[in-house]
Amino acid sequence: MNWNTINVIYKREMGHYFNTPIGYIFLAIFILFAGFMLFFTPPRFWDSGNSMRSFFDLLPILYMFFIPAITMRLWAEEKKSGTIEFFFTLPFTETEAILGKFLSALTFLAIALSTTLPIAVTTILTGSPDLAQILGGYLGGLLSGAAYISLGLYLSWLVNDQINAFLLAFLASFFFFMLGYQPLLQFFGPWKDFLAFFSISWHVQSLYRGLIDTRDILYFILFPLLFLYLNRESIWRSR
Amino acid sequence: MDKFIKSIQQFLSSRNATVALVILLFLSVSYLSYGLYLRMDLSSQGTLRLTKTTRQILNKLEEPLTIEAYFSEDMPEAALQTVKFMKDFVSEYAGISSKVRLRVLNPDKDEDAKMRADSLGIRPLQIGAVDKKKQEVASIYFSLALHYGGKTEIVPSLLESPSPEYDITARVIKLSQPERNRVGILVNPGMVRPDSNASSFEKVEYLRDTIETLYGAMEQIDTTVSEIPPEVKTILLVRPGVLTEIDRYKLDQFLMRGGRLIVAASGMAIDFQSGIASESTSDIVSFLEPYGIVLGKDIIYESNSNFLPYEQRVNAFQSISLPYPVWNISTSLNQKLEITKGLKALVLPYASTITLAGKQEGTTAEILASSSSGAWAQKSFAMIDPRRMPTQPPEGTTKQIHNQSVLLSGKFKSAFAASPDQNSAYPHLPEGEGKLLVTGTPYAFTDIGVQLSDGLNLNFVLSAVDSFNGMEELLALRKKSPPAPKRLNLSQATQDAITFFNFLIPLGLLAGFGIYHFSQRRQRMNQGENHEN
């Protein structure tokens, strides 16, 4: 694996985000929704002890729309426009290509999350937050985002159209989110604990409380690795 | 058969098998990690972090400790995360010492467990739950029974415990170290009582329940009609009203024989109906004076206070937030003394000033809590209705730091030492080593203050009791103080402006970067074109 090659692909993908208005539009929508969730959705920021809790609680719902939007074009657009054939004639491996795309989407997500830093500053200045919980919230946001991105990237490969890639990634994100939802889980009887354990929302809650748990960290390492691996396998099979 | 084996061999050597194996590996490694894990609570409060004290106590146990966890399996969504954290937390106890055993029982499905829970007095907890689109009350078990040396202690609920470690370990200490001093509360007529049916301003039920959990039944003492039992080493006086001479004498002698008095009283009487505070006629003021403590007949207005903003409706759609300076937070706490060390704040409603004047020789005075330098004392008469409160001190009154809680310790001289008839009516010890802690408000320790301070005030008074009773282990456990509640008292317009800037700053930066990026790109393209030309 050559990191220089990964860097080339990474820069190319980052260019796709920032050389066209689409990346800016996505970021602006993210900023507007994040602010709306915090300041206008009950419990409102100013009514709830000036805490970021409601932002982090609603972040997985924002991700269900935002991450499919940033991953939908990663492979599907290449396939639709026909550049995929040319793409793989270039001197790099599937793994390098996947990692380049994955890291660029992750960076884009990190930039999106960083746009909420003024909210963190407001919280620190006007409330009495626990810094570990804010940091844990951001770490959880990034790790769960990485999991959703790997999922979206893989699903983007399976279809030839951005809209389908978005819908598929949205449904899959929704599925992994709902796995941790108790009213739904109660229908699975003895399997509910097992299923809940594979929910992204289940694992991220500890981090939001400032708890570092090896089970969650392991899950957030293994989950993206699994889907990046499945992506590589899918590419290999189709070539 | 050969064909079948061959097809299996073919599958196993194929990439499909590798993919299946990787998925299986992911599922199994993730799930198996459930039983083998490390956890660190990095939050400042460390609610789910076991302290060194707990580890030491568990490792020193002489007999086996059995923790029976009565946990329902089906938990409502609202409680699910807490349940998950608490289960892990309780499991950690069993991992510390081989003497600790954990048994998880589900009374919902196991009839024997249900009967056992009933016999131990463990009742299901009622919590709100949303089921099938309607609000219901769910009945769940989430309690612990600790068995040690033939004795049992119950942790009735782990669901809303702000300090689960304290709740569990304190009971382990109680089981393993049964000898401890008793705590009493003065219940003379007119005083705040633990068992009254009064409002949360007028009773100390939380305080009583917590102290009884750790120190056994709280002795209710009416000094007018009875003596202070000798096993009682600490007495709480919350808003003492009438103290006759005999009451004052008994309390004085309690202090002289090494007793510890915790006084929570104001020099003002508050009338919540009329929203007015006026000078109190309580005898506590004159009781404290011989020991060098002057309880001011005033109320501290903390100009920086924003703990309890008062919402006032301006019209049908708008309300404004008014400060409530008589509910103030003291963050100036003495970090050298065990009682307040590590404690981030104290919430002190309607507090009077405390002045140290004519301190007795042989005693030392420590200031435990004080106001900010922006506070002033409103003397004799004060409005507590936020709409009628002054925003500035009256002429001649300056803003300054006021003491709000003090501790006197050392060799006290009896207030009755100069009594002319000392040998007959009031036989007394002339001096003795006691401790006297005075806080300038009773409402810090009544239920309202305990609830609204989110455990801070309770921590303070319990730390005092623990410190006075030499329970260093309990003190160490209580150092997980919640952060000081801080909420700036901002006007609606300021809130709107901050909200607006939280949108504007990132959007502005994004737009700025976009314009810069596109202009750079355009420049590079133009340069490229020029170069080609």
Side-chain angles (χ1 to χ4, degrees):
Chain A
M1 201 161 56
N2 186 339
W3 283 100
N4 289 332
T5 318
I6 292 171
N7 193 30
V8 171
I9 298 163
Y10 171 82
K11 281 183 174 163
R12 173 180 178 267
E13 294 301 327
M14 288 305 287
H16 279 302
Y17 286 122
F18 287 107
N19 291 341
T20 59
I22 197 76
Y24 298 92
I25 292 169
F26 283 168
L27 284 176
I29 291 171
F30 184 89
I31 293 164
L32 290 172
F33 270 89
F36 181 79
M37 280 176 352
L38 191 75
F39 291 108
F40 297 103
T41 312
R44 288 171 63 242
F45 178 78
W46 299 110
D47 301 334
S48 61
N50 305 6
S51 147
M52 286 187 81
R53 185 74 207 201
S54 61
F55 167 69
F56 290 125
D57 282 344
L58 292 170
L59 196 58
I61 295 169
L62 180 57
Y63 274 3
M64 275 194 281
F65 297 93
F66 184 69
I67 291 181
I70 61 173
T71 57
M72 65 183 181
R73 48 153 287 280
L74 287 172
W75 289 121
E77 178 64 12
E78 305 259 17
K79 285 167 105 175
K80 194 178 182 187
S81 61
T83 53
I84 193 78
E85 302 302 332
F86 171 71
F87 189 73
F88 281 116
T89 58
L90 297 172
F92 47 71
T93 64
E94 295 94 344
T95 309
E96 288 161 352
I98 291 165
L99 279 178
K101 282 175 182 286
F102 172 75
L103 291 175
S104 69
L106 191 61
T107 307
F108 188 75
L109 177 74
I111 292 167
L113 278 175
S114 70
T115 62
T116 63
L117 287 177
I119 296 174
V121 174
T122 304
T123 310
I124 292 164
L125 294 179
T126 64
S128 51
D130 189 326
L131 281 181
Q133 287 181 357
I134 292 184
L135 290 174
Y138 277 108
L139 180 66
L142 203 61
L143 288 175
S144 59
Y148 284 125
I149 287 170
S150 67
L151 182 66
L153 181 63
Y154 169 60
L155 295 172
S156 173
W157 173 262
L158 298 182
V159 292
N160 295 322
D161 180 70
Q162 286 195 45
I163 303 297
N164 290 340
F166 176 87
L167 288 174
L168 207 56
F170 169 76
L171 289 173
S173 303
F174 184 68
F175 171 77
F176 277 101
F177 173 75
M178 291 302 282
L179 271 185
Y181 188 55
Q182 188 66 8
L184 181 79
L185 282 175
Q186 65 183 340
F187 297 111
F188 291 93
W191 289 92
K192 66 177 186 183
D193 282 349
F194 181 78
L195 289 172
F197 194 77
F198 293 101
S199 155
I200 292 174
S201 51
W202 178 258
H203 285 276
V204 85
Q205 288 297 329
S206 307
L207 290 163
Y208 290 169
R209 284 186 65 142
L211 268 177
I212 304 290
D213 190 321
T214 51
R215 291 168 295 186
D216 302 324
I217 302 296
L218 189 69
Y219 174 85
F220 283 125
I221 292 170
L222 291 180
F223 190 98
L225 282 180
L226 173 72
F227 281 98
L228 295 179
Y229 169 79
L230 290 176
N231 197 346
R232 198 191 73 168
E233 281 304 303
S234 301
I235 296 171
W236 186 86
R237 276 156 204 263
S238 65
R239 292 179 73 192
Chain B
M1 190 65 181
D2 283 353
K3 209 175 172 181
F4 178 67
I5 292 170
K6 208 169 181 178
S7 65
I8 289 176
Q9 279 175 337
Q10 261 180 356
F11 173 75
L12 288 176
S13 58
S14 70
R15 291 183 83 105
N16 284 342
T18 318
V19 171
L21 199 69
V22 167
I23 293 172
L24 202 68
L25 203 68
F26 164 72
L27 294 175
S28 51
V29 169
S30 297
Y31 199 65
L32 289 176
S33 71
Y34 196 80
L36 190 71
Y37 62 92
L38 285 173
R39 222 167 42 119
M40 276 182 295
D41 186 350
L42 299 180
S43 63
S44 61
Q45 202 175 335
T47 311
L48 299 174
R49 182 169 56 220
L50 280 185
T51 58
K52 203 174 155 190
T53 311
T54 293
R55 292 173 196 279
Q56 282 170 349
I57 288 162
L58 295 179
N59 281 320
K60 278 196 292 188
L61 290 175
E62 287 171 3
E63 292 180 49
L65 168 75
T66 305
I67 302 175
E68 280 178 351
Y70 291 86
F71 292 167
S72 293
E73 202 173 281
D74 293 321
M75 293 285 184
E77 176 73 11
L80 213 61
Q81 288 298 333
T82 311
V83 167
K84 174 194 165 196
F85 296 135
M86 288 300 169
K87 277 182 177 174
D88 290 343
F89 184 69
V90 173
S91 305
E92 278 187 37
Y93 272 78
I96 289 173
S97 163
S98 57
K99 287 232 169 70
V100 184
R101 285 187 304 234
L102 175 67
R103 283 180 69 200
V104 181
L105 305 164
N106 180 2
D108 291 335
K109 294 196 173 157
D110 181 347
E111 200 52 42
D112 289 342
K114 189 174 185 319
M115 283 168 63
R116 191 166 166 72
D118 284 345
S119 68
L120 289 167
I122 292 174
R123 303 273 173 267
L125 310 167
Q126 311 293 317
I127 63 164
V130 179
D131 189 37
K132 291 172 188 162
K133 294 183 181 173
K134 65 175 190 288
Q135 190 74 27
E136 286 188 346
V137 174
S139 192
I140 56 154
Y141 282 94
F142 205 58
S143 309
L144 297 181
L146 312 174
H147 305 285
Y148 181 87
K151 289 172 291 180
T152 301
E153 278 289 325
I154 307 294
V155 183
S157 170
L158 281 175
L159 265 187
E160 285 168 359
S161 170
S163 178
E165 184 189 18
Y166 186 86
D167 288 349
I168 300 170
T169 307
R171 285 171 170 88
V172 174
I173 295 172
K174 193 179 172 188
L175 286 168
S176 57
Q177 302 167 22
E179 291 302 317
R180 65 180 59 196
N181 299 323
R182 299 283 296 276
V183 178
I185 183 163
L186 209 67
V187 291
N188 292 15
M191 296 182 65
V192 169
R193 298 166 73 96
D195 54 353
S196 73
N197 294 320
S199 73
S200 53
F201 281 93
E202 299 286 322
K203 60 179 176 182
V204 284
E205 221 167 354
Y206 272 107
L207 190 59
R208 190 254 335 250
D209 289 351
T210 317
I211 288 180
E212 288 196 342
T213 303
L214 308 168
Y215 285 89
M218 202 184 221
E219 197 75 42
Q220 298 195 16
I221 307 160
D222 184 343
T223 43
T224 314
V225 294
S226 60
E227 295 299 319
I228 298 170
E231 67 273 18
V232 173
K233 302 291 182 207
T234 308
I235 296 180
L236 291 152
L237 285 80
V238 184
R239 207 194 62 189
V242 180
L243 288 176
T244 62
E245 192 169 28
I246 189 74
D247 299 325
R248 296 203 297 273
Y249 162 72
K250 284 177 184 173
L251 290 170
D252 173 83
Q253 287 305 291
F254 173 74
L255 203 56
M256 294 310 122
R257 64 168 195 259
R260 286 88 167 88
L261 278 180
I262 299 176
V263 178
S266 166
M268 298 287 268
I270 313 265
D271 183 348
F272 291 104
Q273 293 287 327
S274 60
I276 288 170
S278 52
E279 281 189 22
S280 165
T281 52
S282 169
D283 303 305
I284 190 69
V285 179
S286 55
F287 171 74
L288 293 172
E289 271 172 5
Y291 310 110
I293 291 179
V294 177
L295 190 60
K297 296 202 168 184
D298 50 30
I299 277 193
I300 297 173
Y301 278 57
E302 182 65 84
S303 53
N304 301 329
S305 177
N306 48 56
F307 175 71
L308 203 67
Y310 178 84
E311 292 288 324
Q312 188 181 19
R313 190 157 285 281
V314 178
N315 54 43
F317 307 102
Q318 208 184 357
S319 61
I320 54 166
S321 182
L322 294 173
Y324 199 44
V326 285
W327 268 74
N328 51 68
I329 302 175
S330 170
T331 48
S332 308
L333 303 180
N334 190 328
Q335 294 300 320
K336 287 180 187 157
L337 279 186
E338 276 303 322
I339 298 171
T340 36
K341 195 173 169 182
L343 196 66
K344 308 283 191 305
L346 263 183
V347 178
L348 299 163
Y350 317 110
S352 291
T353 58
I354 298 172
T355 313
L356 294 164
K359 177 173 70 71
Q360 292 182 352
E361 254 180 60
T363 59
T364 54
E366 302 275 2
I367 294 156
L368 296 178
S370 49
S371 71
S372 78
S373 55
W376 80 89
Q378 189 81 22
K379 287 190 174 68
S380 302
F381 178 83
M383 293 290 185
I384 61 162
D385 182 338
R387 290 162 299 186
R388 294 190 284 163
M389 271 182 184
T391 51
Q392 289 299 321
E395 222 169 286
T397 308
T398 51
K399 290 184 177 180
Q400 64 179 91
I401 295 171
H402 293 285
N403 301 331
Q404 293 173 308
S405 184
V406 298
L407 172 69
L408 289 187
S409 50
K411 194 165 267 185
F412 286 90
K413 284 189 181 63
S414 170
F416 290 79
S419 172
D421 201 9
Q422 55 183 280
N423 295 324
S424 53
Y426 299 126
H428 65 271
L429 296 168
E431 56 182 29
E433 286 205 25
K435 283 183 194 289
L436 177 59
L437 191 160
V438 182
T439 302
T441 170
Y443 304 107
F445 307 142
T446 55
D447 286 6
I448 186 81
V450 169
Q451 279 172 303
L452 286 176
S453 68
D454 198 20
L456 286 165
N457 290 4
L458 198 59
N459 258 3
F460 171 74
V461 70
L462 290 176
S463 293
V465 173
D466 292 344
S467 167
F468 292 165
N469 286 288
M471 299 301 293
E472 284 80 14
E473 288 156 327
L474 285 174
L475 262 174
L477 281 177
R478 214 175 291 105
K479 291 306 165 200
K480 291 177 177 178
S481 170
K486 180 181 94 178
R487 200 167 65 168
L488 291 185
N489 188 36
L490 303 171
S491 66
Q492 189 63 44
T494 316
Q495 287 182 8
D496 291 345
I498 294 174
T499 305
F500 177 69
F501 277 109
N502 271 289
F503 284 95
L504 188 72
I505 292 170
L507 285 172
L509 285 173
L510 185 66
F513 173 76
I515 292 164
Y516 172 78
H517 183 70
F518 279 110
S519 66
Q520 289 288 308
R521 217 163 152 249
R522 204 181 175 90
Q523 253 180 18
R524 277 200 301 271
M525 283 165 76
N526 288 341
Q527 278 171 0
E529 276 172 19
N530 291 339
H531 193 70
E532 273 175 25
N533 289 339

